[in-house]
Amino acid sequence: MTAIRLLLVDDDPLVRAGLSFMMGGADDIEIVGEAADGTEVEALVDRTRPDVVLMDLRMPAMDGLTATERLRGREDAPQVVVLTTFHADEQVLRALRAGAAGFVLKDTPPAEILAAVRRVAAGDPVLSPTVTRQLMDHAAGSAADTRRAHARERLAALGEREREVAVAVGRGLSNAEIAATLFMSVATVKAHVSRALARLGLNNRVQIALLAYDAGLLEEDGH
């Protein structure tokens, strides 16, 4: 089995040392580099080719949000898992919109951080529907109506089945669960998800889920 190549980004050397010690003990994870600031990330990614970047949000010269936006705008970008102290944070939501595959709190038990890295390396987001709702509630406010109108305009590009799949993704269902719910094969679900990502200009399922929340589709769905 090929080890997951992991890049650690945090301005606190003690945090990096703890993560390196914890992650380095796993047989299926290889620490390929460490960075103390977002300004170092792109050069390190070019040099080390990580599969996953564990990214602190708050750093002095370039924060993790900016570094995530830059990374996810590249071709063959690594997956990003955001490290944060506060789960209902506007920066977390912005990082997810920028393409981060999920986030973990810094006080998360080591086994759960390892599981998060493994999940995103396998292409699965690390974000439960409950946490998504908390984030969206936190972000609700004066811009909510504008976001809803914009999200609905973007989702108009989807066909009926793609839209149904987008709602199911927003509910946190796996491909197998979506297939069973919508009476289609898993391969067809994957095809719909891929087409939806392409048509919407997105790069992962978390972004589809957030767009479905923004558009109010999950409220209409009765969940």
Side-chain angles (χ1 to χ4, degrees):
M1 180 177 63
T2 304
I4 299 164
R5 298 174 62 80
L6 179 67
L7 175 64
L8 303 176
V9 185
D10 197 294
D11 64 323
D12 187 334
L14 290 177
V15 171
R16 291 200 311 276
L19 288 170
S20 182
F21 177 77
M22 176 181 68
M23 299 292 196
D27 294 336
D28 59 339
I29 293 177
E30 177 187 358
I31 308 295
V32 295
E34 296 182 16
D37 191 80
T39 56
E40 305 170 25
V41 172
E42 287 194 271
L44 265 175
V45 165
D46 287 337
R47 190 160 69 247
T48 63
R49 299 293 176 186
D51 301 304
V52 180
V53 178
L54 200 54
M55 180 87 74
D56 185 24
L57 275 183
R58 288 172 172 77
M59 294 178 288
M62 181 189 292
D63 62 26
L65 171 61
T66 303
T68 297
E69 289 172 339
R70 291 192 178 189
L71 273 187
R72 295 303 297 170
R74 297 161 47 124
E75 290 186 14
D76 301 322
Q79 297 292 340
V80 176
V81 178
V82 169
L83 270 174
T84 183
T85 309
F86 307 103
H87 74 276
D89 187 297
E90 180 66 28
Q91 277 202 308
V92 172
L93 188 57
R94 288 175 62 193
L96 294 171
R97 292 188 193 281
F103 72 93
V104 291
L105 299 178
K106 287 193 175 182
D107 60 0
T108 298
E112 292 182 25
I113 297 180
L114 285 167
V117 169
R118 291 175 179 130
R119 282 189 63 182
V120 298
D124 296 325
V126 186
L127 202 62
S128 71
T130 300
V131 171
T132 305
R133 281 194 180 87
Q134 290 172 345
L135 283 166
M136 297 304 288
D137 289 344
H138 174 77
S142 58
D145 289 341
T146 302
R147 276 202 313 272
R148 175 166 294 201
H150 179 64
R152 291 193 172 203
E153 183 179 335
R154 291 184 68 187
L155 287 168
L158 301 184
E160 182 180 351
R161 291 301 261 174
E162 290 165 355
R163 184 184 176 94
E164 290 175 342
V165 169
V167 171
V169 168
R171 289 172 52 201
L173 300 185
S174 67
N175 286 341
E177 290 168 335
I178 295 171
T181 301
L182 298 180
F183 305 104
M184 59 178 71
S185 70
V186 172
T188 301
V189 172
K190 290 180 179 178
H192 281 312
V193 170
S194 295
R195 280 197 295 270
L197 289 170
R199 290 184 180 184
L200 296 170
L202 304 176
N203 55 37
N204 66 34
R205 295 166 72 99
V206 172
Q207 290 174 311
I208 292 180
L210 292 174
L211 197 60
Y213 272 93
D214 279 343
L217 296 186
L218 301 180
E219 299 167 18
E220 296 171 3
D221 193 47
H223 293 270

